[in-house]
Amino acid sequence: MTEPARKATAVAPSNIAFIKYWGARDLERALPHNPSISMTLSRCFSRCTVEHRPDGDEHRVLLRSSTGELRPPGAEFTQRVVRHLDRIRKMTDCPGGFHVATENSFPAAAGLASSASGFASLSLAATRALGLELDSRELSSLSRLSGSGSAARSALGGYVEWPAVLDDPECCAVALATAEDWDLRDVIAVVDSGPKKTSSLEGHRRAPTSPHYEKRQEQLPARLQAVREAIAQRDLEALGPVLEDEAIDLHLVAMSSKPAIFYWRPATLEVLWQVRSLRDEGVAAWATMDAGPNVHVICPPEAEEPVARRLGALAGVQSVIRDAVGTGPGVVSEHLF
Ligand code: PMV
């Protein structure tokens, strides 16, 4: 008798790094050069349905398009998903194929960490479809093996450090504090929602070619400690300057890599100026960016409205996403197919 197909759907959030993962010891296995620390988001998430078909060995991958239909995505994304599904099949010793459909609540591949939420939700949905219950360390480690290191952090809610121990082969993330511990907001100024031209994977590969790479590595132990302490004490005045320095250094390294990578658009700089002006006016707000042109503004709840209003009024800002710290991934009953 053939086993019936089993289906599971998971939702996993994106995250924004306060201390960045940029450069790897082993890119294939996403083993980073340095620990990173992030805040898990709540409104920017991926939802993924996986059906395990024990009687087939082909995988089928669909992605919700901007016009709303589920369609086969580009070759590169499909390949990454298929490779991850093959890995899960091998690790769990479960033969068969997987049918996958996924969607994002926000623009993908634009430096808003859609690979983090995408691969964390895929890892959770695929293992649940196989009837497996992973704990957060196992889910983090599995998500990382997709090649998206930041996916390791999307396996947990709140404030997250990855890896807990740099040379641990499991290389999984741990929570530093929960979402309930500290209500921070992330006002995201979207200045370009199109896909970026240079992937993070390529950015990690090129990072050590920058003359600023080693300098940033030297500064990281002090920055990591400052961010851990700021999170423990809920001290935004201590956190803010460190997260801005980190974001600027990430882009300094990218812009001086060989060949150079420019993620910024003119409006990126305009938003950074406005965040400084807001601070001069007494609004607690600090900017950070991932590998893309869009700016994340971290602020307390009372600053969310003035920040969103100011940034939303700028000509170069296409839209503003008002996000907040979130509780992490979970399984849901509403399937995509
Ligand atoms: O996880 P990846 O390979 O997509 O790299 C993430 C890189 C940054 O978003 C720029 C930084 C980070 O730590 O999230």
Side-chain angles (χ1 to χ4, degrees):
M1 208 174 73
T2 46
E3 251 185 87
R6 279 189 296 187
K7 203 187 264 189
T9 298
V11 169
S14 175
N15 67 77
I16 177 65
F18 294 163
I19 300 289
K20 313 290 180 183
Y21 160 42
W22 200 244
R25 286 183 284 139
D26 178 341
L27 200 51
E28 264 304 297
R29 293 188 299 146
L31 298 175
H33 257 158
N34 59 271
S36 52
I37 298 178
S38 59
M39 172 171 116
T40 301
L41 299 180
S42 66
R43 275 171 225 133
C44 289
F45 60 83
S46 302
R47 178 192 299 264
C48 179
T49 297
V50 175
E51 184 174 60
H52 177 234
R53 303 195 150 208
D55 50 349
D57 58 3
E58 288 284 301
H59 305 311
R60 186 195 74 181
V61 182
L62 299 174
L63 173 68
R64 176 94 57 213
S65 71
S66 52
T67 50
E69 304 94 38
L70 286 172
R71 290 209 190 124
E76 201 182 315
F77 180 74
T78 305
Q79 250 176 30
R80 284 186 76 184
V81 173
V82 164
R83 236 184 294 135
H84 197 50
L85 294 171
D86 282 343
R87 181 179 297 115
I88 292 172
R89 183 162 63 182
K90 205 163 150 204
M91 283 169 73
T92 56
D93 211 8
C94 288
F98 293 99
H99 284 191
V100 174
T102 189
E103 65 183 19
N104 298 311
S105 68
F106 59 103
L112 299 176
S114 59
S115 60
S117 55
F119 283 107
S121 61
L122 176 69
S123 302
L124 180 54
T127 49
R128 282 301 175 94
L130 294 172
L132 303 170
E133 293 237 0
L134 305 189
D135 64 26
S136 62
R137 294 177 74 93
E138 292 166 327
L139 178 63
S140 172
S141 193
L142 176 62
S143 302
R144 181 202 101 237
L145 287 171
S146 68
S148 168
S150 53
R153 298 190 310 246
S154 276
L156 294 100
Y159 300 86
V160 178
E161 177 159 350
W162 168 68
V165 182
L166 199 53
D167 53 10
D168 172 10
E170 291 302 305
C171 196
C172 57
V174 287
L176 296 175
T178 66
E180 292 76 27
D181 286 334
W182 198 12
D183 181 7
L184 281 184
R185 306 295 163 93
D186 179 9
V187 179
I188 309 167
V190 179
V191 303
D192 187 351
S193 58
K196 58 193 178 206
K197 290 197 181 70
T198 311
S199 67
S200 314
L201 271 181
E202 186 54 29
H204 295 302
R205 203 170 283 129
R206 289 187 207 171
T209 66
S210 161
H212 301 291
Y213 186 71
E214 285 305 325
K215 191 81 213 148
R216 174 174 169 264
Q217 289 294 324
E218 283 165 25
Q219 290 173 326
L220 281 173
R223 281 187 188 166
L224 283 157
Q225 198 46 32
V227 169
R228 287 182 199 118
E229 278 167 23
I231 290 171
Q233 288 156 21
R234 330 274 182 259
D235 185 349
L236 187 56
E237 296 288 326
L239 176 67
V242 186
L243 70 85
E244 273 198 1
D245 285 352
E246 250 302 275
I248 302 299
D249 277 4
L250 162 76
H251 286 270
L252 184 67
V253 169
M255 287 182 200
S256 55
S257 294
K258 315 258 172 316
I261 311 170
F262 276 77
Y263 289 115
W264 290 16
R265 312 281 303 168
T268 306
L269 204 52
E270 179 60 24
V271 174
L272 294 177
W273 271 102
Q274 289 295 336
V275 173
R276 281 166 185 248
S277 303
L278 280 160
R279 272 210 303 278
D280 290 343
E281 295 161 30
V283 178
W286 279 269
T288 184
M289 283 154 287
D290 273 348
N294 303 312
V295 184
H296 294 247
V297 183
I298 306 300
C299 60
E302 63 276 14
E304 181 184 332
E305 176 61 34
V307 170
R309 209 175 328 111
R310 178 74 60 89
L311 302 185
L314 298 176
V317 172
Q318 295 174 355
S319 64
V320 168
I321 301 172
R322 293 164 72 148
D323 212 331
V325 63
T327 52
V331 173
V332 295
S333 52
E334 203 182 307
H335 302 308
L336 293 180
F337 62 91

